[in-house]
């Protein structure tokens, strides 16, 4: 059971601005939760507080009922995928993947052959077997994204965090990786928190979507429920109208084609 | 295609081609003549100050170049007929050849092959070559056909193709000429020092390469002093490098990554030290070193040099650390590193080029410094190489030959370091090449 719970979590910066305001949020075991919202709404800050990269000003974050506010990032048992991949440029792909396992405390560290086995397993799963000896700069954007994913997964994290992982990819690859991420989640069943500002990404990937605006949680429901029963005007504009307009655009394209 | 005509398409193709085409020689000529003009204009006042014999002739050449340059520019704008530029080039060619004769005559081309001849030949060439090339170019078929204004579209198209074929070659030749001048400019002092070092006697005069002797090198390397100075210099420079790095690397990292009280004040106080000329703090420095008992010691110099080198090292390293994406550190934190491990396992390996540059810089500061070493050290046993070199030129004896030999030997390690660190230097100075 891996449950994540935000309990009245507030993030206030030194200059007094509040990025996240009293957030209450529950993420179920094995759930794929998408944090969705416009730029600067506090969704990334929420994720970074969970990761331990930002301090929590008020409130508590629990994983499996244990308060993790004061644990260092490495001790929380998380894996994170960054938008810019953030691969270590001076290490080979194999070293990039195994770095997290090798950095464990001596008593908790896996034996070397076990680490090798885990890396090989992750590489096979992500189709990176031929790239293991290369350096990150020799890889394409899609491959780098896979390595970043593999690096997060190889430690068997309790929660997998993804911060706009597809934003740097072109449309074709983004589509392809989106499918792959969902497939991996279905295979592994890792509790996942995924941050994006892309409505389509959110609607197609998520079990449940948490929509955030101006640091406040607007609605927390399954994608279709959000669309069918928007909780307020913001959701109506940000999700419902956006999707309707996309459908209209697509329809008018088909109408044109049929007319010709 | 039956699309609506765009703005560019309103002019017929033929007009466009004829309007655009200009033989590549003309552009090249305008540029070369412009450079020649500047070079000769700069040389003219120098000759006037030196009171050289050829000043009047040189003035005539410059006037000719001005004329030629104007003609070439007029030609480039398509204002002149066929003959005018050729006449101008010819008129310029005459004083140019005269100046070549003059250069050869006054200094004696064949007689000694002295350095002055090379110089005179070079300055004459800066008139002869542009004028000669202008003469040849202006009478070439492509240029004549073009300036006569009788070109048809096909001819202009062929000309454009010829241009794009010739232009890279011309540009390559021009950049080679430019780079050779730059290289010569750097090498001339070295050649001169080398000549003094291998010439017999201890004078500064004489021609380049007229005699050879190894006596100066033998004397410098055979005596004890040079080896003592070398030992001192190496110890002090290495000490400065190690101490400087040990302090600058963590300081630069802290300034780059952490926000703490007094951070800005501390960073600017580093710069504050740099504002004072060294002479102002020389006496206080001396008194401090004296009261600490650090005069005539390696440690005293190491401390003083570290103070000098540290600010720039810290700022350089901070600048480099700033370019390392913060997400790399965050990834390492999530991978289970603590702050120290993040630095050692991720940041430091990525920063090796910058660290190498900083190390080299600290080493050079210590290796070349003269004033402090002269002030703090009173005995020959504690001299560093620069101070030792200076002691060779004194009121009682001026051993220029030995001095030149020794200074070449002193430069060797620096040159070697630059060759070894070249790759790092380029990487370190062009920071930002670490995109994940």
């Amino acid at each position: 059971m891996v449950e994540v719970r935000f309990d009245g979590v507030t993030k206030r910066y030194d200059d007094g601005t509040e990025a996240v305001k009293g957030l209450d949020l529950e993420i179920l075991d094995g759930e794929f939760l998408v944090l969705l919202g416009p730029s600067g709404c506090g969704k990334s800050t929420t994720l970074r507080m969970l990761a331990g990269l930002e301090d929590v000003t008020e409130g508590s974050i629990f994983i499996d009922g244990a308060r993790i506010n004061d644990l260092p990032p490495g001790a929380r048992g998380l894996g994170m995928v960054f938008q810019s991949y953030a691969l270590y440029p001076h290490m080979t792909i194999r070293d990039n993947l195994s770095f997290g396992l090798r950095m464990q405390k001596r008593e908790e560290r896996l034996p070397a052959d076990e680490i090798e086995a885990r890396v090989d397993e992750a590489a096979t799963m992500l189709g990176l077997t031929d790239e293991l000896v290369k350096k990150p700069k020799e890889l394409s954007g899609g491959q780098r994204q896979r390595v970043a994913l593999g690096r997060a997964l190889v430690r068997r994290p309790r929660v997998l965090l993804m911060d706009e992982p597809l934003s740097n990819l072109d449309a074709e690859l983004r589509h392809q990786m989106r499918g792959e991420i969902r497939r991996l989640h279905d295979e592994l069943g890792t509790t996942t928190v995924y941050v994006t500002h892309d409505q389509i990404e959110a609607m197609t990937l998520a079990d449940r979507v948490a929509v955030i605006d101006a640091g406040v949680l607007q609605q927390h429901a399954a994608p279709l429920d959000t669309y069918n029963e928007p909780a307020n005007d913001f959701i109506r504009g940000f999700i419902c109208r956006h999707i309707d307009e996309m459908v209209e655009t697509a329809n008018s394209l088909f109408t044109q084609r049929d007319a010709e | 295609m039956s699309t609506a005509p765009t703005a560019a398409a309103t002019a017929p193709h033929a007009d466009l081609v004829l309007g655009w085409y200009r033989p590549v020689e003309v552009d090249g000529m305008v540029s070369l003549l412009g450079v020649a003009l500047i070079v000769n204009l700069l040389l003219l006042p120098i000759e006037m100050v030196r009171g050289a014999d050829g000043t009047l002739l040189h003035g005539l050449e410059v006037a000719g170049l001005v004329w030629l340059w104007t003609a070439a520019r007029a030609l480039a704008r398509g204002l002149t007929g066929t003959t005018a530029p050729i006449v101008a080039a010819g008129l310029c060619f005459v004083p140019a050849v005269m100046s070549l004769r003059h250069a050869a005559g006054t200094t004696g081309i064949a007689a000694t092959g002295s350095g002055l001849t090379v110089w005179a030949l070079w300055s004459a060439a800066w008139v002869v070559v542009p004028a000669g090339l202008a003469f040849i170019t202006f009478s070439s078929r492509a240029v004549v056909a073009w300036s006569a204004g009788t070109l048809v579209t096909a001819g202009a198209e062929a000309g454009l193709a010829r241009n794009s074929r010739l232009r890279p070659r011309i540009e390559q030749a021009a950049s080679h000429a430019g780079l050779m001048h730059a290289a010569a400019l750097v090498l001339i002092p070295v050649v001169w020092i080398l000549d003094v070092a291998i010439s017999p006697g201890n004078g500064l005069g004489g021609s380049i390469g007229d005699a050879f002797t190894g006596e100066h090198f033998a004397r410098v390397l055979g005596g004890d002093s040079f080896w003592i100075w070398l030992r001192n210099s190496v110890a002090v420079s290495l000490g400065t490098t190690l101490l400087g790095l040990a302090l600058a690397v963590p300081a630069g990292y802290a300034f780059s990554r952490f926000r703490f009280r007094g951070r800005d004040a501390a960073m600017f106080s580093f710069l504050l030290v740099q504002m004072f000329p060294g002479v102002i703090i020389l006496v206080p420095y001396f008194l401090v070193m004296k009261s600490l008992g650090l005069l005539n010691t390696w440690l005293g110099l190491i401390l003083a040099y570290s103070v000098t080198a540290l600010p720039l090292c810290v700022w350089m390293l901070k600048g480099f650390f700033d370019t390392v994406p913060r997400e790399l550190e965050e990834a390492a934190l999530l991978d289970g590193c603590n702050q120290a491990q993040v630095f050692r396992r991720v940041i430091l390996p990525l920063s090796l080029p910058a660290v190498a540059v900083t190390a080299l810089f600290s080493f050079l500061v210590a290796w070349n410094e003269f004033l402090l070493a002269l002030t703090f050290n009173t005995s020959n046993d504690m001299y560093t190489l620069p101070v030792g070199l200076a002691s060779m030129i004194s009121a009682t004896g001026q051993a220029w030959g030995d001095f030149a030999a020794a200074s070449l030997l002193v430069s060797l390690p620096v040159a070697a370091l630059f060759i070894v660190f070249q790759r790092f230097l380029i990487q370190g100075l062009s920071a930002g090449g670490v995109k994940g």
Side-chain angles (χ1 to χ4, degrees):
Chain A
M1 276 295 280
V2 186
E3 276 181 4
V4 180
R5 190 154 59 83
F6 287 78
D7 192 1
V9 171
T10 294
K11 174 68 189 182
R12 193 177 302 116
Y13 288 107
D14 291 340
D15 59 1
T17 52
E18 286 192 340
V20 178
K21 298 170 190 166
L23 177 73
D24 293 314
L25 185 66
E26 229 169 347
I27 302 156
L28 303 176
D29 182 40
E31 183 177 31
F32 197 119
L33 178 94
V34 173
L35 290 173
L36 174 68
S39 300
C41 71
K43 58 189 190 303
S44 271
T45 312
T46 308
L47 190 79
R48 291 168 58 82
M49 283 192 289
L50 175 55
L53 299 172
E54 302 262 3
D55 292 332
V56 177
T57 318
E58 282 168 27
S60 307
I61 303 176
F62 299 93
I63 297 181
D64 283 344
R67 188 170 180 276
I68 55 151
N69 283 37
D70 302 313
L71 281 182
R76 300 184 178 197
L78 310 170
M80 183 154 171
V81 180
F82 293 85
Q83 180 181 346
S84 64
Y85 323 131
L87 303 181
Y88 309 120
H90 56 298
M91 299 183 195
T92 62
I93 300 308
R94 175 176 288 283
D95 289 343
N96 261 284
L97 289 172
S98 64
F99 188 69
L101 292 172
R102 288 185 283 123
M103 290 318 289
Q104 295 302 301
K105 283 206 202 71
R106 193 172 300 277
E107 55 270 24
E108 295 167 18
R109 200 183 303 158
L110 295 167
D113 51 341
E114 176 78 1
I115 292 181
E116 292 288 293
R118 287 253 200 125
V119 169
D120 288 334
E121 182 196 9
T124 315
M125 193 164 65
L126 291 161
L128 290 167
T129 325
D130 296 338
E131 326 297 336
L132 284 175
V133 290
K134 293 183 184 165
K135 294 272 180 75
K137 65 165 180 253
E138 300 168 58
L139 265 52
S140 69
Q143 286 172 323
R144 288 182 203 185
Q145 188 58 67
R146 279 164 210 271
V147 177
L149 201 55
R151 187 178 61 180
L153 287 173
V154 83
R155 280 179 63 199
R156 311 246 164 97
R158 298 197 288 169
V159 185
L160 177 63
L161 312 179
M162 296 198 244
D163 190 0
E164 312 218 2
L166 304 183
S167 301
N168 281 3
L169 301 177
D170 62 52
E172 174 69 27
L173 260 176
R174 202 181 309 161
H175 180 73
Q176 191 186 326
M177 283 300 289
R178 200 158 65 198
E180 194 153 340
I181 286 174
R182 183 67 220 194
R183 178 181 63 80
L184 275 172
H185 177 261
D186 292 341
E187 251 169 57
L188 303 171
T190 314
T191 310
T192 304
V193 183
Y194 185 108
V195 164
T196 183
H197 59 255
D198 184 320
Q199 291 90 338
I200 299 302
E201 227 169 271
M203 300 306 263
T204 49
L205 275 174
D207 293 327
R208 282 198 294 172
V209 181
V211 188
I212 301 182
D213 183 45
V216 179
L217 180 65
Q218 307 288 329
Q219 186 165 9
H220 182 200
L224 275 181
D225 294 346
T226 312
Y227 178 77
N228 291 331
E229 297 156 32
N232 56 31
D233 282 349
F234 175 78
I235 304 278
R236 258 186 284 279
F238 187 67
I239 300 209
C240 304
R241 195 183 316 138
H242 181 84
I243 290 177
D244 291 344
E245 276 167 9
M246 287 195 68
V247 173
E248 262 171 52
T249 314
N251 279 340
S252 74
L253 258 175
F254 292 130
T255 321
Q256 258 180 29
R257 184 197 59 184
D258 296 342
E260 274 169 17
Chain B
M1 288 246 294
S2 61
T3 49
T6 59
T10 48
H13 172 68
D15 286 1
L16 276 178
V17 170
L18 286 173
W20 269 101
Y21 172 61
R22 183 197 296 168
V24 67
E25 290 99 327
V26 178
D27 287 333
M29 213 56 250
V30 174
S31 308
L32 179 59
L33 287 171
V35 175
L37 198 55
I38 292 167
V39 168
N40 283 287
L41 274 175
L42 289 175
L43 286 176
L44 197 55
I46 296 175
E47 288 204 1
M48 281 161 74
V49 170
R50 283 173 61 214
D53 304 333
T55 311
L56 185 65
L57 191 60
H58 192 152
L60 279 174
E61 292 162 12
V62 173
L65 275 173
V66 173
W67 184 358
L68 195 57
W69 183 65
T70 325
R73 277 172 52 94
L75 181 70
R77 287 199 303 271
L79 294 180
T80 325
T82 323
T83 46
I86 299 181
V87 173
L91 279 174
C92 193
F93 204 48
V94 176
V97 173
M98 281 168 64
S99 107
L100 185 62
R101 269 184 52 95
H102 164 81
T106 48
T107 52
I109 267 184
T112 57
S114 82
L116 268 176
T117 306
V118 176
W119 159 254
L121 276 176
W122 173 84
S123 64
W126 265 104
V127 179
V128 176
V129 171
L133 276 177
F135 189 69
I136 296 163
T137 303
F138 287 172
S139 51
S140 82
R141 275 205 313 173
V143 178
V144 170
W146 169 73
S147 71
T150 54
L151 271 184
V152 290
T153 313
E157 278 172 341
L160 280 174
R162 175 173 170 275
N163 277 1
S164 49
R165 202 173 58 245
L166 286 180
R167 184 167 287 123
R169 286 192 226 163
I170 292 175
E171 278 170 358
Q172 203 180 21
S175 61
H176 272 91
L179 289 173
M180 272 156 69
H181 277 87
L185 212 60
V186 175
L187 283 177
I188 283 171
V190 181
V191 170
W192 193 34
I193 283 284
L194 184 66
D195 178 64
V196 175
I198 58 169
S199 297
N202 266 320
L204 276 177
S207 315
I208 302 277
D210 52 352
F212 174 80
T213 172
E215 57 173 310
H216 301 302
F217 282 101
R219 194 150 52 229
V220 168
L221 292 174
D224 289 337
S225 289
F226 182 80
W227 297 107
I228 294 172
W229 303 335
L230 180 68
R231 188 196 61 194
N232 292 335
S233 266
V234 167
V236 169
S237 303
L238 284 182
T240 306
T241 309
L242 291 178
L243 182 65
L245 277 187
L247 295 173
V249 170
Y253 183 67
F255 281 137
S256 166
R257 280 298 192 263
F258 303 120
R259 300 282 169 273
F260 49 87
R261 190 185 296 272
R263 172 179 174 272
D264 290 354
M267 281 183 54
F268 283 105
S269 73
F270 270 133
L271 289 186
L272 197 70
V273 181
Q274 303 278 296
M275 289 182 195
F276 299 104
V279 184
I280 290 186
I281 46 174
L282 198 56
V283 171
Y285 241 155
F286 179 80
L287 294 175
V288 169
M289 290 297 171
K290 185 162 182 278
S291 66
L292 290 174
L294 289 175
L295 295 178
N296 284 314
T297 62
W298 290 344
L299 184 62
L301 281 182
I302 291 174
L303 287 176
Y305 293 163
S306 298
V307 170
T308 317
L310 207 52
L312 202 78
C313 292
V314 170
W315 275 82
M316 260 164 49
L317 283 169
K318 178 202 174 286
F320 189 86
F321 290 139
D322 283 347
T323 68
V324 177
R326 197 174 274 269
E327 288 191 339
L328 275 181
E329 296 193 21
E330 296 179 344
L333 282 175
L334 275 150
D335 270 340
C337 293
N338 58 35
Q339 192 63 54
Q341 286 170 320
V342 169
F343 181 69
R344 202 173 56 79
R345 305 291 298 262
V346 176
I347 304 301
L348 205 54
L350 284 175
S351 309
L352 276 184
V355 173
V357 174
T358 324
L360 189 59
F361 174 76
S362 310
F363 189 89
L364 288 185
V365 164
W367 188 261
N368 292 331
E369 206 282 340
F370 172 71
L371 196 57
L372 291 177
L374 180 70
T375 315
F376 293 174
N377 296 324
T378 46
S379 82
N380 188 54
D381 282 349
M382 288 309 299
Y383 281 175
T384 57
L385 281 168
V387 181
L389 281 186
S391 75
M392 298 173 87
I393 309 296
S394 64
T396 48
Q398 299 180 333
W400 286 114
D402 296 354
F403 175 80
S407 48
L408 278 175
L409 290 172
V410 172
S411 326
L412 277 182
V414 179
L417 276 179
F418 266 99
I419 291 169
V420 171
F421 279 99
Q422 211 179 128
R423 192 168 58 90
F424 284 126
L425 275 171
I426 293 163
Q427 277 181 35
L429 293 178
S430 61
V434 283
K435 285 209 185 83

